[in-house]
Amino acid sequence: MKQLEYVVLARRASQIMEELRKGARKPYSEVIDVSWGDPHRAGVKPLSFVRQVLAACLYPELVNSNKLPVDVRQRAQRLLGQCAGGSIGSYTATAGIAEIVHRVSEFITRRDGGAPSHPENIFISAGSQWALQNILKVLVNSKSSPKTGVLTPVPCHCTTTLSIMGLGAVVIPYYLSEEQGWELQVEELDRALESAKGVCNPVALYVINPGNPSGGKISPEQRTPKYIFVSKNMYHMVVFHAMLPVGHIQRRKSIQEVIRFVSEKKLFLLADEVYQGCVYGEKSEFISYKRVLAEMGPPLSDTVELASFHSASKGFMGECGMRGGYVELINLDPDVMKYIYKLFSKDSCAPVLGQIALDLMINPPQPGDPSYPLYNVETQNIRTMLVHNVKRAFEVVNSLPGFCCQPVEGGAFAFPRLHLPPKAIQKAKEVGLQPDTFYCIRLLEEAGVLISPGCEYGQKEGTHHIRFCIMTSEVMMEELLRRLTCFHTQFMKDFS
Amino acid sequence: MKQLEYVVLARRASQIMEELRKGARKPYSEVIDVSWGDPHRAGVKPLSFVRQVLAACLYPELVNSNKLPVDVRQRAQRLLGQCAGGSIGSYTATAGIAEIVHRVSEFITRRDGGAPSHPENIFISAGSQWALQNILKVLVNSKSSPKTGVLTPVPCHCTTTLSIMGLGAVVIPYYLSEEQGWELQVEELDRALESAKGVCNPVALYVINPGNPSGGKISPEQRTPKYIFVSKNMYHMVVFHAMLPVGHIQRRKSIQEVIRFVSEKKLFLLADEVYQGCVYGEKSEFISYKRVLAEMGPPLSDTVELASFHSASKGFMGECGMRGGYVELINLDPDVMKYIYKLFSKDSCAPVLGQIALDLMINPPQPGDPSYPLYNVETQNIRTMLVHNVKRAFEVVNSLPGFCCQPVEGGAFAFPRLHLPPKAIQKAKEVGLQPDTFYCIRLLEEAGVLISPGCEYGQKEGTHHIRFCIMTSEVMMEELLRRLTCFHTQFMKDFS
């Protein structure tokens, strides 16, 4: 049901694009699609280093071309030497190319301040969600009665909730605290677990850190009413609480609490950490579950079962279309590991270029490398663009009545709350849509902007949100804000 | 269990490769791996046109480079225009890039002599096996009692059997007739279906056409004993019935029989047609299930539910590592199609470069295109290489006592039968291995050749086989044959 709301939007967007291609006249010449966490779709340029190495791997004649930097060519040559038959067109081992798996474990060890990581615990997959599905298959007993339950955050992107339900398990929602910048609170985990009693058999806790779709740790004074601008005109019905997209970064203390919680409740911990590269705030720091667990020492570090996911689709690289991700598994029984190996075997192997993209993400050019200056400029530009985008987005939002804007640290999504006028809610009911879907479909039709409604991600009863990606080019963000402003004005006129 | 036999071999092969890298002295300097249907792994070169277009899509600076043929650059530019944000790093629609899906349907219509194909029935996936898993999920009720059954050929590659069992269904084996070149016989389907009574609830028939792992329609005179050379020396215990790898191509009449069978028995038809590009024999012709079904007319053409799978991993292209395949679905209920859409949605999308590889496979350069001459030379070379390989392989085999060799039409695998000496079978029992696995592991240790044992694919009780890929470079085939000959001599000495 939930998923279908977005499908309606996406299908209509395709139709509109087709109509535009066929010369239909509309107030816009193209659809801006910021409904995905997909930077390239939204105009962000791929990193040259990444694309150069991948192109040279695909077409090895380029290894001998002087058009590419020498470190690119060396890197491609080394990677090709690690592919069967020297071709990225060959299958790889089930867990991925052995050398890349090894370098992933080195990356994790480096990232986690020396907490050891072992290659045999790592599986490279066609994106992190694929790996998650395989781990869920191990956790979910589709035949059990009561059903298997998985504690899942709200809001949460729907690929995971669909996977859980698709396996015949039950989503046990725990609500992130919007007022605390979408913070995860252990008391809420307790409540959710309690609510599952008699309904299902909870076996796992799924956490997303940094958060998706949104989050943002903001200080109490930033949440005072002085930031809330209530207009004197018709627009005052709409209030956006733009909790800004830090992708709420969990603090060490909070992670420790969660680890103690899963240990006590005997839950498997699924840590979706794909946004770990999306931390831009000066004072923000990503700390992995794996690291905190290791540093807590025995008995926790020897017993808590943990799967940590990462991906080449997110961060500055944003290579969603390559399909490269990995999972690291901690403290799993050797027999379970064998079974997991079999599950991954069924999928043949992850796309080889996705595996290589992962390798490039975790081992970017270093100062002194010929590719470093350009790589550095490009990543700095993306950083700058992002900060600019969010600043501009919220300047514009603040200039409109009914919007509320918070300072920004970083991330990929905005998930502002939307107070809809009663007439709009009534109209949505009449046409059989969720109110926020109704808002989104009007925005799409009238302004050619595709964003996704909060109901896709789960939200507290009676609240409405929209989500859009802020990793866009500056030009696209400006155009998006222009269209949103015009649409919003008209929408409020229509439903005042 | 079955799968684990090959895992033992593959793991040992990795260890040996690692030992060689570290300088270990062995009778060989590298391991020849012909255990996969993976041409590039076995030394076949990728097609330049394919790699050039893919490289230009990855690194669009190449579109403006005069180093690449103009049709390559135009093709890349057109494809990039069909990617969101002009980048192959973006997600695509669930079923794949709309334009590519459309061209797949055009390809199918062309291939099938005009039998119409509709884009909305096609899903592009990360390889055909992934699509197959999604369709199986719809067919298998993991909670049902008795379990869901799927009629599956023996021999059959183990990814499919693992998928079926992994979903909690039962594999109902039907045996291909080795004596008839691994032909599918409807009487055997009847027998298999009968055998399932009281055991499971059969819902689908899985067929592989052209066959995998092997096949070969040979005339009765080719099967007379004059071809069987029984030596006067110790080797006479080993007889290879090399049914050659046409990947048994089903004739129209046989396909019609199968369609009538599934219609009568109310089975869903799963047609694995990934080897459709591997038809080299002058008189052989691939005819798709879809085409035959359409040409049989109503009521069959309106009612038989069919899923047909194809892939960029096989044929002359052999781009296994790209992970690009598709399924076409015929006569499915619209509600089931909606559910299948949801299943594919969970996987985000197929790797974009895999989608593009598929597009290049179904639309190769045409006479007159600047890339055509090279493309033509390369594909002709692969064809010639293959014919040469098989001819040489069986010359050598014929020069050894106990081998039997048949004329060759084409394909990717040999699956010869192996009559092992009783002492070898006894020894295998002692070490807890299947006899053919035992043979393969000795071949690996002593000669550095990795092939797979027949027990991986299923075989009649008491028979043993080996499987190896014949899509290799000529050099590799020669070396493989040299090593196999030496090993075989020694093995028979040891167990005579």
Side-chain angles (χ1 to χ4, degrees):
Chain A
M1 175 61 196
K2 225 172 40 152
Q3 164 77 355
L4 289 181
E5 300 268 330
Y6 178 67
V7 168
V8 169
L9 276 163
R11 289 231 171 112
R12 183 66 196 124
S14 297
Q15 286 166 357
I16 290 175
M17 287 181 219
E18 189 56 32
E19 289 164 21
L20 287 170
R21 253 193 299 275
K22 287 181 176 159
R25 293 182 64 179
K26 295 190 185 281
Y28 43 88
S29 62
E30 57 181 22
V31 173
I32 294 179
D33 182 356
V34 283
S35 65
W36 312 50
D38 187 345
H40 298 183
R41 173 181 301 260
V44 176
K45 292 273 160 292
L47 300 174
S48 299
F49 172 75
V50 172
R51 292 306 188 86
Q52 286 171 340
V53 175
L54 290 170
C57 287
L58 251 174
Y59 189 53
E61 273 75 353
L62 293 171
V63 171
N64 305 317
S65 140
N66 56 11
K67 294 225 167 177
L68 296 179
V70 64
D71 57 335
V72 163
R73 293 185 276 146
Q74 285 168 348
R75 186 72 170 266
Q77 196 153 30
R78 207 174 331 132
L79 284 161
L80 284 174
Q82 293 160 0
C83 295
S87 169
I88 57 90
S90 301
Y91 291 116
T92 73
T94 292
I97 293 172
E99 290 86 348
I100 296 183
V101 173
H102 201 87
R103 287 193 289 271
V104 169
S105 78
E106 289 171 345
F107 156 77
I108 295 172
T109 305
R110 232 165 32 233
R111 180 198 69 188
D112 291 346
S117 165
H118 305 289
E120 60 272 26
N121 290 338
I122 293 162
F123 288 87
I124 297 179
S125 61
S128 63
Q129 284 293 317
W130 194 356
L132 176 63
Q133 280 187 50
N134 276 340
I135 306 306
L136 284 172
K137 279 180 201 160
V138 180
L139 295 170
V140 174
N141 180 350
S142 61
K143 293 172 201 158
S144 73
S145 176
K147 289 185 171 187
T148 305
V150 179
L151 286 156
T152 308
V154 176
C156 176
H157 56 94
C158 57
T159 33
T160 299
T161 50
L162 276 175
S163 293
I164 294 170
M165 295 187 297
L167 289 166
V170 172
V171 169
I172 310 167
Y174 66 89
Y175 291 87
L176 302 175
S177 169
E178 181 163 8
E179 294 70 25
Q180 307 298 316
W182 303 107
E183 193 177 73
L184 185 160
Q185 295 173 327
V186 174
E187 314 85 75
E188 170 61 9
L189 294 181
D190 266 320
R191 184 208 59 76
L193 197 63
E194 198 63 28
S195 76
K197 274 193 181 153
V199 177
C200 62
N201 173 35
V203 300
L205 168 65
Y206 177 63
V207 293
I208 312 177
N209 179 47
N212 170 358
S214 191
K217 182 71 182 172
I218 46 174
S219 62
E221 56 273 25
Q222 285 162 349
R223 268 180 274 114
T224 57
K226 69 175 169 173
Y227 285 85
I228 309 217
F229 183 93
V230 179
S231 82
K232 281 150 260 128
N233 65 24
M234 60 183 101
Y235 310 129
H236 74 279
M237 295 294 295
V238 175
V239 181
F240 281 89
H241 290 297
M243 291 305 153
L244 265 184
V246 202
H248 173 76
I249 298 163
Q250 264 191 292
R251 305 301 186 252
R252 180 184 298 268
K253 193 167 158 291
S254 167
I255 295 174
Q256 288 170 341
E257 286 171 7
V258 171
I259 289 173
R260 282 192 208 99
F261 174 82
V262 295
S263 172
E264 190 188 319
K265 309 295 185 188
K266 305 208 185 314
L267 297 172
F268 190 106
L269 185 52
L270 298 160
D272 185 335
E273 302 181 315
V274 299
Y275 289 99
Q276 62 188 263
C278 303
V279 178
Y280 318 119
E282 293 290 315
K283 290 173 198 158
S284 307
E285 188 197 4
F286 166 77
I287 315 171
S288 75
Y289 268 86
K290 162 76 183 303
R291 176 178 192 160
V292 175
L293 179 60
E295 292 176 358
M296 287 170 91
L300 290 171
S301 62
D302 296 341
T303 52
V304 169
E305 291 175 308
L306 167 67
S308 158
F309 303 89
H310 195 13
S311 167
S313 300
K314 309 300 171 191
F316 292 133
M317 184 186 265
E319 294 284 4
C320 313
M322 305 295 299
R323 314 309 301 130
Y326 76 79
V327 59
E328 185 189 22
L329 299 162
I330 313 292
N331 290 329
L332 268 65
D333 184 277
D335 283 341
V336 175
M337 289 297 282
K338 271 187 204 156
Y339 181 65
I340 289 173
Y341 178 89
K342 267 176 98 166
L343 284 176
F344 278 92
S345 299
K346 266 193 326 206
D347 305 326
S348 300
C349 66
V352 178
L353 291 173
Q355 299 189 33
I356 292 178
L358 206 55
D359 189 61
L360 301 174
M361 177 178 78
I362 59 177
N363 288 299
Q366 298 302 310
D369 293 345
S371 291
Y372 182 76
L374 180 59
Y375 175 83
N376 192 39
V377 165
E378 288 176 343
T379 50
Q380 284 299 338
N381 282 351
I382 294 175
R383 197 184 295 263
T384 308
M385 177 194 295
L386 203 90
V387 171
H388 167 273
N389 279 353
V390 181
K391 184 167 162 286
R392 277 290 295 145
F394 291 88
E395 268 171 20
V396 173
V397 165
N398 261 339
S399 78
L400 290 170
F403 278 93
C404 165
C405 183
Q406 307 293 346
V408 172
E409 293 186 325
F413 294 106
F415 194 68
R417 185 163 168 188
L418 171 56
H419 293 260
L420 284 165
K423 279 189 186 172
I425 294 174
Q426 182 56 34
K427 182 73 184 168
K429 260 190 198 154
E430 283 167 32
V431 295
L433 289 171
Q434 295 289 323
D436 39 21
T437 306
F438 176 69
Y439 183 90
C440 291
I441 209 146
R442 292 287 295 250
L443 177 65
L444 172 63
E445 289 288 350
E446 293 169 27
V449 173
L450 177 58
I451 60 175
S452 44
C455 59
E456 278 292 296
Y457 308 96
Q459 49 198 358
K460 278 195 178 153
E461 189 67 29
T463 69
H464 306 118
H465 299 77
I466 58 167
R467 184 187 88 152
F468 61 92
C469 178
I470 53 157
M471 289 194 89
T472 74
S473 69
E474 285 151 323
V475 173
M476 189 172 287
M477 182 53 68
E478 290 301 327
E479 177 62 11
L480 163 70
L481 294 172
R482 192 189 65 73
R483 295 191 195 181
L484 183 67
T485 305
C486 293
F487 165 76
H488 186 68
T489 309
Q490 189 59 43
F491 184 86
M492 293 311 296
K493 260 191 199 150
D494 295 347
F495 296 99
S496 65
Chain B
M1 176 59 196
K2 224 171 44 150
Q3 164 76 354
L4 289 180
E5 299 267 330
Y6 178 67
V7 168
V8 168
L9 274 163
R11 288 231 172 112
R12 183 64 195 127
S14 297
Q15 285 167 357
I16 290 175
M17 287 181 219
E18 189 56 32
E19 288 164 21
L20 287 169
R21 254 193 299 275
K22 286 181 178 160
R25 294 183 63 179
K26 295 190 186 283
Y28 43 88
S29 61
E30 56 182 22
V31 174
I32 293 179
D33 183 356
V34 282
S35 65
W36 312 51
D38 187 346
H40 298 183
R41 172 181 302 260
V44 177
K45 293 274 160 288
L47 299 174
S48 298
F49 172 75
V50 172
R51 293 306 188 86
Q52 285 171 341
V53 175
L54 290 170
C57 287
L58 251 173
Y59 189 53
E61 273 76 353
L62 294 171
V63 171
N64 305 317
S65 141
N66 55 11
K67 294 227 167 175
L68 295 179
V70 64
D71 58 335
V72 162
R73 293 185 277 145
Q74 284 168 347
R75 185 72 170 264
Q77 197 153 29
R78 208 173 333 133
L79 285 160
L80 285 173
Q82 293 160 359
C83 296
S87 169
I88 57 90
S90 300
Y91 291 116
T92 73
T94 291
I97 293 172
E99 289 86 349
I100 296 183
V101 173
H102 202 87
R103 287 193 290 269
V104 169
S105 78
E106 289 170 345
F107 157 77
I108 294 171
T109 305
R110 234 166 29 234
R111 181 197 69 188
D112 292 346
S117 166
H118 304 290
E120 59 273 24
N121 290 338
I122 293 162
F123 288 88
I124 297 180
S125 61
S128 62
Q129 283 292 316
W130 194 355
L132 176 62
Q133 280 186 50
N134 277 340
I135 307 305
L136 284 171
K137 278 179 202 160
V138 180
L139 295 170
V140 174
N141 180 350
S142 61
K143 291 172 202 157
S144 74
S145 178
K147 290 185 171 187
T148 304
V150 180
L151 285 157
T152 308
V154 175
C156 176
H157 57 95
C158 57
T159 31
T160 298
T161 50
L162 276 174
S163 292
I164 294 170
M165 296 187 296
L167 289 165
V170 172
V171 168
I172 310 168
Y174 65 90
Y175 292 86
L176 301 175
S177 169
E178 182 163 6
E179 293 71 23
Q180 306 297 318
W182 303 107
E183 193 178 72
L184 185 161
Q185 295 172 327
V186 174
E187 313 85 76
E188 170 60 9
L189 294 180
D190 266 321
R191 186 209 57 77
L193 197 62
E194 199 62 30
S195 78
K197 275 195 179 151
V199 177
C200 63
N201 173 34
V203 299
L205 168 65
Y206 178 62
V207 293
I208 312 177
N209 179 48
N212 169 2
S214 192
K217 183 71 181 171
I218 45 174
S219 63
E221 56 274 25
Q222 283 161 350
R223 267 180 274 112
T224 58
K226 70 176 171 173
Y227 285 85
I228 309 218
F229 184 94
V230 179
S231 81
K232 283 151 257 122
N233 66 22
M234 62 183 99
Y235 309 129
H236 74 279
M237 296 294 296
V238 176
V239 181
F240 280 89
H241 290 296
M243 292 305 153
L244 265 186
V246 202
H248 173 75
I249 298 163
Q250 265 191 290
R251 305 300 187 253
R252 182 184 298 267
K253 191 168 159 290
S254 167
I255 295 173
Q256 288 169 339
E257 286 170 7
V258 170
I259 288 173
R260 282 192 208 99
F261 175 82
V262 296
S263 173
E264 190 188 319
K265 308 296 185 188
K266 303 207 185 317
L267 297 172
F268 190 107
L269 185 52
L270 299 160
D272 185 336
E273 304 181 314
V274 300
Y275 289 100
Q276 63 187 263
C278 302
V279 179
Y280 317 120
E282 292 289 316
K283 292 174 199 158
S284 308
E285 188 197 4
F286 167 76
I287 314 170
S288 76
Y289 268 87
K290 163 75 182 303
R291 176 177 193 160
V292 175
L293 179 60
E295 291 176 357
M296 287 171 90
L300 290 171
S301 62
D302 295 342
T303 51
V304 169
E305 291 175 309
L306 167 68
S308 157
F309 303 89
H310 195 14
S311 167
S313 300
K314 309 301 170 189
F316 291 133
M317 185 186 265
E319 294 284 4
C320 313
M322 305 295 299
R323 314 309 301 125
Y326 75 78
V327 61
E328 185 188 23
L329 298 162
I330 313 294
N331 291 329
L332 268 66
D333 184 277
D335 283 342
V336 174
M337 289 298 282
K338 270 187 203 155
Y339 181 64
I340 289 173
Y341 179 88
K342 267 175 99 166
L343 283 176
F344 278 92
S345 299
K346 267 192 327 204
D347 305 326
S348 299
C349 67
V352 179
L353 291 172
Q355 299 189 34
I356 292 178
L358 205 56
D359 189 60
L360 301 174
M361 177 179 78
I362 59 176
N363 288 298
Q366 297 302 312
D369 293 346
S371 291
Y372 182 76
L374 181 59
Y375 176 83
N376 192 39
V377 165
E378 288 176 344
T379 50
Q380 285 299 340
N381 282 350
I382 294 176
R383 197 184 295 263
T384 309
M385 179 194 292
L386 204 92
V387 171
H388 167 273
N389 279 352
V390 180
K391 184 167 163 285
R392 277 291 295 146
F394 291 87
E395 271 171 18
V396 173
V397 165
N398 262 338
S399 78
L400 290 170
F403 277 93
C404 166
C405 185
Q406 307 292 347
V408 172
E409 293 187 324
F413 295 106
F415 194 68
R417 185 161 168 188
L418 172 57
H419 293 260
L420 285 164
K423 278 189 184 172
I425 295 174
Q426 181 55 35
K427 182 72 184 169
K429 261 190 198 154
E430 283 168 33
V431 295
L433 289 172
Q434 295 290 325
D436 40 19
T437 306
F438 176 69
Y439 183 90
C440 291
I441 209 148
R442 290 287 294 252
L443 177 64
L444 172 63
E445 288 288 349
E446 292 169 28
V449 173
L450 177 58
I451 60 175
S452 44
C455 59
E456 278 292 297
Y457 307 96
Q459 49 197 357
K460 278 196 177 153
E461 190 67 30
T463 69
H464 306 118
H465 299 76
I466 58 168
R467 184 187 87 153
F468 61 93
C469 179
I470 53 155
M471 288 194 91
T472 74
S473 69
E474 286 151 321
V475 173
M476 190 172 286
M477 182 52 69
E478 290 301 326
E479 178 62 13
L480 163 69
L481 293 172
R482 192 190 66 73
R483 294 191 195 181
L484 184 67
T485 305
C486 293
F487 165 76
H488 187 66
T489 310
Q490 189 58 46
F491 183 87
M492 294 312 295
K493 259 190 198 152
D494 294 349
F495 294 99
S496 65

